Amino acid sequence: PEGLSQVEFRSGQTMIQSIFMMSRTGEVLIEKHWRGITPRSVCDVFWDEANRYAAKEDAPPIIYTSKYYLISVFRDDVFLIASVTAEVPPLLVIEFLHRIIDIYTEYFGSVEEQNIKDNFSTCYQLLEEMMDNGYPLTTEPNALKAMIKPPSVMGRVHSYATGKSGISDDLAEGMVSSMPWRKAGVKYAQNEIYMDIIEEVDAIVDRNGQMVSSEVTGMVQANSRLSGIPDLTMTFIDPDVIDDCSFHPCVRYNRFERDRVVSFVPPDGAFELMRYRVNTKANVSAPIYCQSQVMFNDSQNTGYGRISITVGQKPTSSLIMPSKGTMAIEEVALTIPFPKAVRTTNLTVNVGTCLYDEATKVAKWTIG
């Protein structure tokens, strides 16, 4: 009776009913249904709501209609929208939508509109394998590539010549193993793995350039080219500063909780190993400083104002350069929002370029 009640509860749950992909212009590129057909008119409702915002990425991730919840993500100039008819874990749906875009990027290089149109059949085949009756099923790239071959020129020629599709008749070996993320029989002449640590600092700086608050988040991206089934362990010099971690399924979470080490059997190829937040006791020193001065002169009722911004580099330390010194900083850009009441601007810079968007009243100073 207890097991029966659990089965009945799960069968009564409602997950994703349909998925739509829309271009930046509002064209529906992909439409896939699992648990009943969602009318395409919901895309018109979503598009009307998204057009209320100056930037498409500012559209709310969850929109409620009279019958459906529309959960969406916006990446690479396309919207991916999932329609559900009842309460579901929204972060699960959002993560699954991001995973779909990641898989499309893995297969096609990008999710540009033309790439999607050129590979319609592969897009639908991937959705068939990634979801079963509205529930996420297979989301690992290696398992999907074993079942559905990525498009290539030779693959198209072979398909036209033999009449066979790129779908495998056999179930991928990883699907019936305890490690669905890793292919079997991987061999390399030279065994190597690359790790990239990418950290992002979100900070609030006052008008004098002093740090008010800061938060550091990071991710570890890896590219594995190891033969067989390697078992790896990554240790930290100071694991106490690592907090709020999320891991790839290959990581043994119990081992991390017990020993504070990352033990895993990596997938083959590029993947994201983990995300984390740095638990710093003091504010992190930013590698650059930004000081601003705002002056208004309304003596003749002209509404004239002037803003002066100074940006410079500060000596800081890093893992590569422990001692304080000069560290190369690249791709520095400032976004300067102006009030809607501003009518005209005259912007000049002594380094880089500055572009002003009259529609959104936002200036972007690209220093380089």
Side-chain angles (χ1 to χ4, degrees), residues 6 9 43 61 122 150 207 260 266-267 322 357:
Q6 292 176 353
F9 173 74
C43 296
T122 306
R207 59 184 298 179
R260 304 298 289 179
D357 188 346

Side-chain angles (χ1 to χ4, degrees), residues 187-321:
K187 293 183 180 180
Y188 288 100
Q190 184 175 358
N191 290 296
E192 54 191 6
I193 183 170
Y194 300 93
M195 294 281 190
D196 289 325
I197 299 177
I198 302 172
E199 293 187 340
E200 180 178 323
V201 180
D202 291 323
I204 299 176
V205 183
D206 64 14
R207 59 184 298 179
N208 298 319
Q210 300 298 319
M211 191 78 68
V212 177
S213 66
S214 64
E215 183 181 63
V216 182
T217 57
M219 68 177 71
V220 179
Q221 294 182 342
N223 191 350
S224 174
R225 299 181 180 274
L226 301 173
S227 304
I229 304 179
D231 199 327
L232 309 180
T233 301
M234 183 176 67
T235 61
F236 301 99
I237 296 176
D238 187 3
D240 293 335
V241 301
I242 305 295
D243 200 3
D244 294 341
C245 300
S246 61
F247 297 100
H248 188 276
C250 68
V251 177
R252 301 180 179 95
Y253 185 71
N254 291 335
R255 175 79 185 278
F256 179 79
E257 285 289 297
R258 185 178 68 251
D259 302 330
R260 304 298 289 179
V261 298
V262 180
S263 176
F264 61 102
V265 176
D268 183 54
F271 66 101
E272 182 180 291
L273 179 63
M274 62 179 292
R275 287 178 177 265
Y276 60 90
R277 181 175 61 87
V278 180
N279 186 15
T280 57
K281 296 181 176 59
N283 289 331
V284 177
S285 177
I288 61 175
Y289 65 87
C290 179
Q291 296 178 343
S292 63
Q293 292 182 341
V294 181
M295 296 168 287
F296 289 100
N297 183 9
D298 202 21
S299 58
Q300 299 179 358
N301 198 24
T302 57
Y304 174 79
R306 179 184 179 91
I307 179 173
S308 176
I309 300 178
T310 304
V311 179
Q313 182 176 355
K314 294 193 300 185
T316 186
S317 61
S318 69
L319 294 175
I320 302 174
M321 301 170 57

